[in-house]
Amino acid sequence: MSPHLRKVVVVGHGMVGHRFVTAAIERGLTETHDIVVIGEEPRPAYDRVALTSFFEVGAEALSFLPGGAYDDPRVTLRTGTSVIEIDPAAQTVMLGDGEEMAYDELVLATGAAPFVPPVPGAELGNVFVYRTIEDLEAIREAAKTAKAGAVIGGGLLGLEAANALHQLGVETHVVEMNPRLMSVQVDEAGGRMLGRHITDLGLTVHTGVMTEAALPAIVDVDATGEVDGQVSALKFKDVEEPLPVDMIVFSAGIRPRDALARAAGLDLAERGGVLVDEQCRSSDPHVWAVGECAAPGGKMYGLVAPGYDMAEVVADALLGGQGTFTGADLSTKLKLLGVDVASFGDAHGTTDDCLELTYSDAVAGVYKKLVISEDGTRLLGGVLVGDASAYGLLRPMVASGIPLPDNPEELILPASSGGGGGVQLPPEAQVCSCNDVTRGDIEAAVDAGCGSAAEVTKETKAGSTCGSCKVQVKKIVEDYFTAQGKTVDTSLCEHFAGDEHGRSPMTRAELFDVVLIHGYTTFDQIIEAHGTGRGCDVCKPAIASILASQLNGHVLAAENRKLQDTNDAFLANIQKNGSYSVVPRIPGGEVTPEGLIVIGEVAREFGLYTKITGGQRIDMFGARMEDLPAIWKRLVDAGFESGHAYGKSLRTVKSCVGSTWCRYGVQDSVGLAIMLETRYRGLRSPHKLKGGVSGCARECAEARGKDFGVIATEKGWNLYVGGNGGAVPAHAQLLAGDLTTDELVSCLDRFLMYYVRTADRLQRTSTWIDSLEGGLDRVREVVVDDVLGLGTELEDAMAQHVDGYFDEWKATLEDPAMLRRFVSFVNAPELPDPNISFGAVRGQIAPAVGEQPASGPVALGSSIPVGPPATDEHTMEHAR
Amino acid sequence: MNAARTATYISVCRLDDIDPETGVTALVRGEVVAVFRTHDDRVFALSNYDPYGHASVLARGIVGTRGDVPFVASPLLKQAFSLETGRCLDDPSVAVATYEVDVVEGEIRVGVAVAL
């Protein structure tokens, strides 16, 4: 093998230097050139991006060159060697050991160095940076004895370092000068959400604080009187008390390592870095710079992907190619401390007149933002925190300019709605970046016989690594099935089943989110933007409930009256013959004799059937719709209010007699039940809610059969949740024990609001709890331990409900427009409907059976019994 | 023929008396008729009697669409009836009577029951 005439010297053997060498080999540069790579670190290039995993997998697993040499005799790697000087005129470099080496082409790949702010104490022991495997080895050693550590810098790398400290068992503080974490990649709300996640993991986040000094431990004053010690604390500006820490990791940014170029007189960018042109050539035609030490067009890139692109460009240029580097996509998607964070395109919305669409679910810890062009047709960028599953779809949309769907918010709504909002990715769009699987690959797998998303994953590996694209894989599979005529229906009803215009199927929780995002106040706005047709008896009441939960308005307000099921529309319970029953609230079952007398008088006057309900109240049956206002006038005047027996809302809080009268009672169950029922009355919820309070363990109130049950103990209250009757009865489970009354109320506020916000339509508390990942334990984490830091928010929402409560019947009686509906006939309001009639049973009225009106239904088949109108006698015989 | 029919029409209320997508009950020649107004201001009249629930309640049901068909869901057990034909959308063998109906100068008028 004869020596080549030409030689390329590469300074730096990091990720980008290595990439240059592999590109040079692959492209054939080594056929004409010798390559010498000089690396300062003692080991060959390794995966610095995955540095933190060094603690788990070791240095060997991270290495790009496990054998220590390239499989090309023309490439020489010299590790543990530094370059101390460049002489562009002579085309030589001077090595640390005094050797002078000539080059024809010089490639600088010296990377960047961690920036350590000039604070006093930065030179102390146990103060580190986070850049090399050696740094990590030293950090690991220090962590063996350290109790608390601080990471200075809440950016990407700082959070990596914080993760490392945390995993090493050190109590970790993250210190960020900016008011939020990851200020480069995410916006304020995203940073807040990220901070919440990190706090939940047990780390402490300090934002908006300036490090003033690292303080030494006051020990080991040596003979010269100088303090020679380890760091013991961190002093912040304007904060009196220093934070005690045993170790500090500086991760406050990086600076290009351009000292060699500077000394050699090469042009530098204003903010550092070797100034290079689009081919990455410096101001000297034979010196090139790639990666973090380079500044193409004056801009430095702190990510590895642009560095790789530059390495390829230079390898190409040295072969006479015309490839150029014209900037990079700075999109990033990471899992930091287990939290998905992604930022892509114009994440900060710097484009003129751009629009922002945000989705934030503090319960689930998810924040998403889309930046959209002024005319709403194109996606410009975005931020995802907590759930980056949409990244695989959104990033190609920015890059390819695929037009946005009609409802772009569906792109960031929770994954269960399908995500993607009907956007069709091109077949070559990458869906699973871990395993490089495209939409086309997934559809090909279905063609080859895969019958489900799980089978596709098995076949293609899509979604099998980090799992972040699983939902998208499922959606693609389902869409493809649908395209082939196999229907996959996930909708609330046909009006929210999605359509060809990009509307996605939606559940109640998703509609709740949509209403929150847009601040809708009417059904018409919602169906026009997200649905089809004019709704039905399924979606209308569901939306009525969502609007009631968020707006606290009157259910009979003009815009939304048409959404109400007949019970809510007439604020009473419809019964089988078309009459209604009326239930005044009797909180805790406590009622005065005067109250009982009023109820009795009303029932007698209007000829109503009376019964004590299963929930300790008095139900009056057989009220004609047109009589309801008069009945309620009497009740309201006597101080009664609506018992909401008609709504999906709180019904009763049942109680035993408690310590006031009972010789066993240990607490005042009646007082508590009245307080709770009064607090939560009128709360619209996905399903009806009931509560119970028992004054001792004998449980006479059957509180554990309720959605929330409270049982008194000697020490306080035990709170049980998730009980119900119904077709599938469930026993409530203990959520928290021995609570004070204040603690009980805050737990219940949180529990109920959490349920109202996230449960599905007509989903009882028991099934809702079962549906949560982690079940009751998850509820306890959120409600009792407040792991999401949501407690205050949920309590505030409940406080808003409590403050906004008004009696619906009282308000109705004061509003002529609402009262106008309570008539039998629009053209004969004084006449009662003769088709609503009654028989009698056990001395009270009862619905008549078997009656037919004169006009009758038209029977087309045998399923409708037809007969003469029944007489009262006839009815009585058949009364049930 | 038209003239004869017109004579049998009975005014029941004004269009404005019915909120869009709701119904009212009217008494027409002793018969109980549910009169509905859809969101696009079309007006329909059906017998008010729910043949499944055996009660005079249809006017109080929720009005919506199934596909392109405007319908009312009975407030009792939610069977859906086409406003156009009175036919039960869940069971085509059942229907309720429909009535001729028109709107003249904002006045809703109900005519005779339409034979099926």
Side-chain angles (χ1 to χ4, degrees):
Chain A
M1 180 175 63
S2 60
H4 285 316
L5 293 175
R6 303 186 66 78
K7 180 154 82 180
V8 178
V9 171
V10 182
V11 186
H13 197 235
M15 298 175 77
V16 173
H18 170 72
R19 180 60 169 257
F20 171 79
V21 177
T22 52
I25 294 169
E26 280 169 18
R27 289 170 186 264
L29 188 66
T30 50
E31 287 165 20
T32 54
H33 289 68
D34 282 316
I35 295 178
V36 178
V37 192
I38 298 166
E40 187 181 52
E41 288 183 54
R43 65 189 87 234
Y46 51 88
D47 187 354
R48 213 184 295 278
V49 172
L51 192 59
T52 305
S53 67
F54 160 73
F55 293 127
E56 285 165 39
V57 302
E60 200 60 9
L62 293 182
S63 180
F64 284 144
L65 209 58
Y70 288 94
D71 188 22
D72 185 321
R74 297 295 185 188
V75 180
T76 309
L77 171 62
R78 292 176 61 168
T79 52
T81 307
S82 52
V83 173
I84 58 172
E85 199 182 320
I86 303 169
D87 185 344
Q91 290 189 221
T92 58
V93 294
M94 177 73 80
L95 304 187
D97 58 9
E99 184 187 342
E100 195 177 72
M101 186 181 287
Y103 65 79
D104 294 293
E105 304 291 340
L106 181 68
V107 179
L108 298 176
T110 48
F115 170 64
V116 177
V119 294
E123 71 293 342
L124 290 169
N126 275 9
V127 176
F128 306 96
V129 294
Y130 198 83
R131 188 69 181 170
T132 66
I133 286 179
E134 282 67 33
D135 292 334
L136 265 64
E137 284 174 335
I139 287 169
R140 177 165 59 184
E141 199 53 35
K144 284 179 182 164
T145 53
K147 286 191 184 61
V151 173
I152 314 283
L156 225 152
L157 197 64
L159 295 181
E160 277 279 341
N163 185 26
L165 283 199
H166 181 63
Q167 285 178 1
L168 290 168
V170 178
E171 178 198 320
T172 305
H173 297 263
V174 179
V175 179
E176 169 58 48
M177 197 168 63
N178 281 299
R180 64 170 189 270
L181 298 173
M182 284 185 74
S183 54
V184 176
Q185 291 84 5
V186 305
D187 60 358
E188 193 185 330
R192 257 203 318 271
M193 189 68 81
L194 183 62
R196 182 183 263 168
H197 276 289
I198 291 169
T199 306
D200 288 348
L201 292 168
L203 287 78
T204 310
V205 176
H206 311 257
T207 49
V209 295
M210 187 88 82
T211 302
E212 203 166 67
L215 306 179
I218 309 300
V219 289
D220 293 345
V221 178
D222 68 15
T224 62
E226 282 186 26
V227 177
D228 167 32
Q230 308 278 325
V231 66
S232 75
L234 204 50
K235 172 80 178 73
F236 300 128
K237 189 166 186 280
D238 299 329
V239 178
E240 185 101 353
E241 201 61 25
L243 177 71
V245 288
D246 305 307
M247 59 189 295
I248 293 174
V249 178
F250 275 102
S251 188
I254 54 171
R255 295 287 182 273
R257 297 184 64 191
D258 54 14
L260 287 173
R262 183 187 302 271
L266 298 175
D267 289 351
L268 300 182
E270 206 170 303
R271 304 179 65 179
V274 181
L275 193 63
V276 295
D277 65 11
E278 289 188 346
Q279 282 196 302
C280 296
R281 193 191 296 253
S282 78
S283 52
D284 181 287
H286 299 290
V287 181
W288 311 73
V290 292
E292 289 173 343
C293 70
K299 183 172 162 58
M300 179 227 182
Y301 294 86
L303 293 173
V304 74
Y308 280 177
D309 289 348
M310 292 183 226
E312 297 280 350
V313 165
V314 172
D316 180 60
L318 292 176
L319 283 161
Q322 297 302 312
T324 56
F325 178 88
T326 54
D329 179 4
L330 297 181
S331 303
T332 40
K333 174 169 177 277
L334 312 138
K335 224 177 178 63
L336 285 170
L337 296 131
V339 184
D340 272 349
V341 181
S343 146
F344 52 94
D346 182 9
H348 290 283
T350 56
T351 308
D352 284 345
D353 297 322
C354 62
L355 308 172
E356 288 190 359
L357 199 55
T358 60
Y359 167 82
S360 180
D361 179 351
V363 177
V366 174
Y367 170 79
K368 305 180 189 181
K369 179 178 82 172
L370 296 184
V371 178
I372 288 169
S373 63
E374 186 190 5
D375 61 1
T377 61
R378 283 208 46 214
L379 182 64
L380 303 174
V383 173
L384 309 169
V385 176
D387 170 17
S389 54
Y391 181 76
L393 173 71
L394 297 174
R395 189 181 164 190
M397 282 189 69
V398 174
S400 64
I402 299 171
L404 277 169
D406 290 344
N407 301 311
E409 71 282 357
E410 292 180 5
L411 294 167
I412 50 173
L413 283 175
S416 52
S417 72
V423 172
Q424 181 75 304
L425 282 178
E428 63 275 16
Q430 191 184 58
V431 175
C432 173
S433 54
C434 298
N435 300 292
D436 188 20
V437 182
T438 64
R439 182 177 77 95
D441 296 336
I442 291 169
E443 293 181 352
V446 173
D447 286 339
C450 290
S452 68
E455 286 175 35
V456 168
T457 295
K458 207 172 159 197
E459 179 67 28
T460 64
K461 304 274 181 290
S464 64
T465 307
C466 78
S468 68
C469 62
K470 266 188 176 170
V471 174
Q472 215 192 338
V473 172
K474 183 164 178 287
K475 166 116 172 96
I476 290 171
V477 170
E478 287 176 357
D479 284 353
Y480 198 51
F481 280 161
T482 308
Q484 293 172 328
K486 303 179 201 168
T487 309
V488 186
D489 191 359
T490 57
S491 53
L492 175 67
C493 67
E494 71 172 68
H495 305 98
F496 291 94
D499 68 3
E500 69 275 17
H501 303 302
R503 293 170 168 92
S504 296
M506 287 200 193
T507 63
R508 174 187 178 272
E510 287 149 12
L511 279 167
F512 200 102
D513 294 334
V514 164
V515 172
L516 256 184
I517 291 177
H518 292 275
Y520 294 132
T521 57
T522 68
F523 175 80
D524 290 6
Q525 293 166 341
I526 298 166
I527 194 101
E528 272 157 31
H530 305 280
T532 58
R534 289 302 307 173
C536 64
D537 51 303
V538 172
C539 59
K540 281 183 169 176
I543 284 173
S545 167
I546 289 168
L547 290 171
S549 300
Q550 294 186 17
L551 302 175
N552 274 348
H554 198 297
V555 295
L556 298 188
E559 271 294 342
N560 297 325
R561 196 184 71 89
K562 66 186 177 194
L563 310 181
Q564 308 296 349
D565 245 325
T566 189
N567 283 6
D568 277 304
F570 294 99
L571 305 174
N573 257 15
I574 197 168
Q575 301 298 336
K576 58 191 290 183
N577 66 344
S579 66
Y580 290 85
S581 72
V582 169
V583 183
R585 184 170 301 292
I586 299 182
E590 186 180 81
V591 60
T592 62
E594 285 74 20
L596 281 174
I597 288 166
V598 169
I599 291 174
E601 284 175 349
V602 168
R604 187 168 57 192
E605 188 174 324
F606 290 89
L608 308 176
Y609 164 96
T610 53
K611 186 184 182 308
I612 309 294
T613 70
Q616 295 186 331
R617 305 197 289 190
I618 299 169
D619 208 344
M620 290 174 271
F621 288 84
R624 291 177 181 273
M625 183 246 277
E626 61 271 25
D627 286 342
L628 289 171
I631 291 170
W632 269 108
K633 175 81 171 59
R634 291 283 304 278
L635 293 170
V636 167
D637 285 348
F640 285 105
E641 60 180 29
S642 168
H644 293 95
Y646 44 83
K648 298 299 179 208
S649 54
L650 180 85
R651 301 290 177 85
T652 69
V653 180
K654 185 180 179 183
S655 74
C656 68
V657 79
S659 58
T660 318
W661 292 91
C662 176
R663 62 201 158 110
Y664 299 111
V666 295
Q667 301 252 19
D668 176 15
S669 58
V670 181
L672 184 71
I674 292 171
M675 190 266 270
L676 294 177
E677 182 164 342
T678 307
R679 184 170 182 78
Y680 302 126
R681 61 188 168 180
L683 179 70
R684 288 295 196 289
S685 45
H687 204 290
K688 65 182 175 185
L689 283 171
K690 291 181 180 177
V693 183
S694 279
C696 78
R698 284 175 179 75
E699 244 284 66
C700 295
E702 293 156 330
R704 290 191 63 194
K706 309 297 183 199
D707 296 283
F708 59 92
V710 182
I711 301 176
T713 71
E714 300 279 355
K715 290 178 266 177
W717 306 104
N718 283 352
L719 173 58
Y720 297 81
V721 295
N724 57 254
V728 187
H731 233 153
Q733 304 292 312
L734 183 67
L735 183 69
D738 298 330
L739 303 168
T740 65
T741 304
D742 283 349
E743 288 167 346
L744 174 78
V745 168
S746 67
C747 268
L748 263 177
D749 281 2
R750 294 174 185 187
F751 172 78
L752 292 174
M753 267 300 161
Y754 187 26
Y755 166 66
V756 167
R757 284 192 182 186
T758 62
D760 209 344
R761 172 182 170 267
L762 300 185
Q763 190 174 36
R764 287 182 182 269
T765 52
S766 57
T767 43
W768 168 69
I769 291 170
D770 290 344
S771 76
L772 295 174
E773 201 172 319
L776 185 69
D777 289 339
R778 182 56 182 170
V779 175
R780 191 177 293 117
E781 283 173 14
V782 173
V783 169
V784 182
D785 306 333
D786 198 11
V787 296
L788 297 178
L790 262 183
T792 315
E793 198 176 320
L794 295 172
E795 288 176 37
D796 287 350
M798 187 61 82
Q800 207 178 335
H801 163 77
V802 172
D803 293 343
Y805 177 77
F806 59 89
D807 177 37
E808 285 166 354
W809 259 114
K810 188 164 187 290
T812 302
L813 291 171
E814 290 163 359
D815 187 335
M818 290 182 190
L819 284 178
R820 202 162 63 91
R821 321 284 165 208
F822 292 84
V823 292
S824 55
F825 297 114
V826 67
N827 57 343
E830 70 286 358
L831 278 183
D833 184 342
N835 290 324
I836 295 175
S837 60
F838 300 91
V841 67
R842 288 182 296 277
Q844 296 200 75
I845 63 160
V849 292
E851 268 191 282
Q852 298 294 321
S855 56
V858 178
L860 301 176
S862 57
S863 64
I864 306 298
V866 178
T871 62
D872 277 358
E873 289 76 12
H874 175 89
T875 304
M876 281 180 69
E877 282 171 25
H878 292 86
R880 282 181 272 174
Chain B
M1 167 134 178
N2 267 346
R5 277 226 178 140
T6 306
T8 68
Y9 274 59
I10 290 176
S11 280
V12 294
C13 63
R14 298 195 59 79
L15 183 66
D16 294 345
D17 291 333
I18 310 180
D19 287 338
E21 292 187 300
T22 66
V24 298
T25 314
L27 198 56
V28 180
R29 287 178 293 267
E31 293 176 17
V32 182
V33 178
V35 184
F36 299 95
R37 173 183 177 185
T38 55
H39 83 287
D40 51 2
D41 286 346
R42 287 189 294 159
V43 177
F44 299 95
L46 308 182
S47 164
N48 195 46
Y49 195 83
D50 170 1
Y52 293 93
H54 304 294
S56 183
V57 293
L58 285 190
R60 296 180 232 156
I62 285 178
V63 174
T65 54
R66 194 176 282 189
D68 293 329
V69 180
F71 79 99
V72 60
S74 166
L76 290 178
L77 297 173
K78 314 297 184 206
Q79 285 89 359
F81 296 91
S82 163
L83 295 182
E84 289 167 340
T85 64
R87 205 167 286 271
C88 176
L89 298 174
D90 305 307
D91 178 358
S93 70
V94 175
V96 297
T98 59
Y99 293 79
E100 289 180 350
V101 63
D102 65 11
V103 182
V104 177
E105 289 172 1
E107 197 75 27
I108 297 176
R109 308 182 319 157
V110 176
V112 296
V114 177
L116 281 157

